Every structure is written in structure tokens, then in C-alpha cells.
Amino acid sequence: MRGLLLGAMGLSAALALLLMGAFFTLFSYDLEDVILGRVVATEANRQAAEHGPAGQSIPSGMTTYVGHENLPPWLAQALPVDLPRREREVRAPGHGLFHVAVRPDPSGGPTRYVVFDTTELASTTRHLRTTAGLLLASALLALLGAAGLSHLVARRLSRPLEELVAQVQSDTPPRTEGLGVSEVRALAEALSARDARIRELLERERAFNRDASHELRTPLAVARGAVEILELDPPKDAETFGRLQQAVQHMVLLTEGILWLARTGPSEESCKLGSISREMVALYGAPLSQGGVEVVIEAEAEVLAPLPGSVARVMMGNLIKNALAYTSEGRIVIRITSEDWSISDTGVGFGRVEPGRTGFGIGLSLVERLARRFSWEMSITALEPHGTKVRLAWPPRPVT
């Protein structure tokens, strides 16, 4: 910001000096011609009124010629015979610069020419060349003064903005104290108001997630206890009982995920992704998979990921459940490395569910929010000719 202001002001100062110099030079030439022309015209008019003698040397340095034939040859060549009443500037090589006032005789007599030798007087160019160094030094001093003033102005304008940027980057509410520029103060106040609204919305969301999760925990605990009691004497409809078990377990995982969204601060917990992936496949695979779907877990060794186990179950479970829901035949491959966890399928892909099929958009949204909550990177890629790949990558552990 400061560099932009300095550049703009410096360029403006240089352009202003250039325009002023050009205007001054042109004005000097024009003013010189006007003054000399008026001098010779005044003398010519006086002589015409007093009928001054031809060839008389005028004390002011002028010479009068009556008749074109009496002009010096070099001057006669530059002045046509039938010139009207006017003043002309004649530059004769080898002789100098002259201003000539032409006054034809109204009665038809010879034309009177008043010649003013201005070679020594018309010295604008010579004076400009002589004083070129002085003009250049003056211009440089003016530019330095303009640069200093520009620096002060740019510093006054940019410092409040730099302080405001530092406050925003430090994740602290912008302060209006000490911001001298009114526009910057207005911007700081607008940022403070927006920051307050955002913090209020975030706190409201955290409070809702926290309250909803706690409220759901009690009925879910009751339902889970009832299911465990029923497991001692399973009902005859095993398929329905299995769906009930899975639904209760899924609600428990969703509640844990929502509760983690309401928490703040980092987590030092870690989990085994291979074991959790097999657990989630066992939970969702039997009811949702069909005979033509093969689920494969590829992992060279057990991988510890920087993530609480309950959160991993929510994230991996929802992705595995989605892959099973969208894949009617083919393979589902879960690949676990020391850097990431990924799942790819040969189904229709997210967002292209056939009519009548159930989607799990809320689960996918929860996975994305949990990934951001723990600084994980989530990417979804469409596979050709069909299928989807979802990749979860965690930040590298700090080297100690």
C-alpha cells in the first residue's frame, strides 16, 4: 500500500514538473516574440505618422528602409514584394534574427520596412542552455521535496491500514483507537461489527450442537441399553432387529460427531484406522452390501492417526456407508497409508443417486466439518467410467 502511494505521488510530481517545464519554455518563446513584435510595430507606426527619413539609424537599434529595392539582398529574398501590413520574424543565416514591420504606403508609394535586429535580444534558447544545469538541479530538488512529502503522506495513510491488517491477522477484534484516518476507522468499526456477528453465530452453533448432543445422549443410552437387553433373547425377526441395532449405533456415532464440533481446542488422542475401518465395514456392510459388491481393505500395517477414535468412527463410518449405498456391484477399496485414508467405489458416485435410493448428505456434511475441525484435508474425485474416490489426509506430526 505504501509503495503504491509513493509511486503514484512520485509519478504525479514528475509529470507535473514536466508539464510546467514545457509550459514555461513555450510561454517564454511566445512572450519574447510578442514583445519584440510590439516594439518594432510601435516604431514603424511612429515613423509612418512622422514620415521618418529612409535609411535613418534609429537609436533603439532599428533600421528603416523605404522601398523593397533598398533592402539588403539577403533580407529582400526573405520578404516578398507585395506583403500586406504586418510584422514578420526573419531568420537570416549568417546575419542573425530580425523582426520586420511592413507598412505599405496608403497613397501607393513605396513600402516602408522597419527592421529590428533582435539577434542579441532574442536569446531564450541560449539562456535555457546556459541555465540547463540550474533548471535540472531545481527539478531534482523539487522531486526530492515531492518524494519526501509523498513519503510522509503515504506513511500517514498506510500505517493505520497496516495496523488494521496486523490486528485482523492476529485474530483479535479490530480496535479503532489510534487509527487517524476516518475511512480506516470506519473500516475497523465495520470489521469489528462483522467479527462480533460471526463470533455470536459460532457460539450459538456450538451451544446448539452441545445442547442437542447432550439431550440426545440420554434417550440414545436408553435405546442402546434396550438393544443390549434384547440381544440376550433376540426376537424372531432378526433382520428388523439388525436394522434397529445399526440405527442406534449410527445415531450414537452422529451424536458423538456433533458433540466434537461443539468443542474447542486441539486433541492429543490418536486411533488405529485399520481396526476402525474393519469395525465400520462389519457394522454397515452386512445390511447394505449386496452379493455383487466386494469390500477390500488395503493396509500394510496398522496406522495411528491423530484423531479421536469416536470421531474416526463417525468419519469413516459415514463414508463407508455412503459407498455401500451407492454401489450395487463391483468393488469398494479402502486404502490406508501413513499419510492418508481413502475409499473408492465403482458405484454411481455422490450426487448421482438413482430415484428411490436414499442419500446420506447430512453424514457427508458432518464428515467435511469434522475434517476442518481437526485440520484434515478432504477431497472427493469422480472416477471414470463411474465411481467416486474420497481421500482424507492428516497434517504431518511435528518433529521433536
Side-chain angles (χ1 to χ4, degrees):
M1 179 67 181
R2 184 175 299 180
L4 182 62
L5 288 173
L6 285 175
M9 292 181 178
L11 183 60
S12 300
L15 183 60
L17 286 175
L18 181 62
L19 291 176
M20 288 179 63
F23 175 78
F24 176 75
T25 303
L26 294 176
F27 178 74
S28 298
Y29 277 112
D30 185 67
L31 181 63
E32 180 183 82
D33 290 340
V34 170
I35 292 175
L36 295 177
R38 293 306 303 166
V39 169
V40 72
T42 301
E43 181 62 25
N45 294 336
R46 185 188 66 81
Q47 291 187 24
E50 297 178 359
H51 302 286
Q56 180 180 354
S57 179
I58 309 302
S60 61
M62 301 180 190
T63 305
T64 302
Y65 301 93
V66 178
H68 191 274
E69 66 277 3
N70 293 322
L71 290 172
W74 50 269
L75 186 57
Q77 293 179 355
L79 297 173
V81 177
D82 54 349
L83 275 177
R85 176 190 175 94
R86 60 177 300 182
E87 291 77 42
R88 289 194 59 171
E89 182 183 74
V90 177
R91 188 178 299 275
H95 298 277
L97 182 66
F98 300 86
H99 278 72
V100 181
V102 182
R103 293 296 182 267
D105 191 344
S107 61
T111 300
R112 182 183 298 272
Y113 300 89
V114 178
V115 181
F116 187 14
D117 186 355
T118 59
T119 304
E120 295 297 326
L121 297 176
S123 55
T124 302
T125 303
R126 185 174 71 250
H127 284 306
L128 288 177
R129 290 175 180 174
T130 303
T131 59
L134 180 60
L135 291 175
L136 181 60
S138 301
L140 290 177
L141 289 175
L143 282 176
L144 287 176
L149 181 61
S150 300
H151 178 73
L152 292 176
V153 174
R155 188 176 180 181
R156 176 176 175 80
L157 291 177
S158 62
R159 177 178 290 180
L161 284 176
E162 293 171 356
E163 294 177 355
L164 182 60
V165 170
Q167 293 176 16
V168 173
Q169 290 177 344
S170 64
D171 199 23
T172 59
R175 302 185 305 271
T176 58
E177 297 81 2
L179 301 178
V181 184
S182 59
E183 289 80 3
V184 179
R185 286 200 305 270
L187 177 60
E189 292 172 357
L191 289 175
S192 297
R194 191 189 66 173
D195 186 70
R197 289 195 300 270
I198 292 175
R199 291 178 184 275
E200 181 183 356
L201 290 174
L202 289 176
E203 183 57 34
R204 188 184 305 169
E205 182 182 0
R206 290 195 187 100
F208 172 78
N209 291 337
R210 183 170 55 250
D211 296 341
S213 299
H214 282 296
E215 290 296 326
L216 287 174
R217 272 188 163 187
T218 300
L220 283 175
V222 174
R224 195 170 186 179
V227 169
E228 291 176 354
I229 294 175
L230 288 175
E231 286 177 351
L232 300 176
D233 185 15
K236 296 180 180 180
D237 192 349
E239 181 179 356
T240 302
F241 182 63
R243 290 178 181 175
L244 176 62
Q245 287 178 306
Q246 183 196 91
V248 171
Q249 182 64 23
H250 185 63
M251 287 299 299
V252 170
L253 293 178
L254 284 178
T255 304
E256 286 294 327
I258 295 173
L259 187 60
W260 268 104
L261 287 177
R263 297 175 182 172
T264 58
S267 173
E268 301 297 332
E269 299 182 40
S270 60
C271 64
K272 297 179 180 180
L273 293 186
S275 300
I276 292 178
S277 298
R278 286 187 287 270
E279 177 186 341
M280 294 297 101
V281 169
L283 175 63
Y284 296 117
L288 289 178
S289 63
Q290 301 178 14
V293 178
E294 178 186 7
V295 180
V296 179
I297 299 178
E298 298 179 355
E300 296 181 358
E302 188 63 80
V303 175
L304 282 176
L307 192 71
S310 58
V311 177
R313 288 179 175 86
V314 176
M315 297 173 68
M316 314 306 171
N318 274 284
L319 294 176
I320 291 171
K321 186 177 182 180
N322 277 343
L324 289 167
Y326 294 147
T327 305
S328 57
E329 60 181 6
R331 301 181 71 202
I332 296 175
V333 179
I334 300 172
R335 184 172 289 105
I336 306 173
T337 69
S338 59
E339 298 178 351
D340 61 6
W341 181 97
S342 64
I343 182 170
S344 57
D345 59 64
T346 56
V348 296
F350 296 149
R352 298 194 294 270
V353 186
E354 298 175 0
R357 298 288 295 275
T358 303
F360 300 92
I362 186 173
L364 184 61
S365 174
L366 183 60
V367 173
E368 292 175 338
R369 296 177 65 185
L370 286 171
R372 290 195 300 268
R373 163 67 177 80
F374 290 92
S375 301
W376 282 37
E377 178 184 347
M378 178 179 176
S379 61
I380 302 177
T381 307
L383 302 178
E384 296 298 336
H386 45 74
T388 304
K389 178 180 179 180
V390 182
R391 176 178 177 270
L392 294 171
W394 50 88
R397 296 180 181 271
V399 179
T400 58

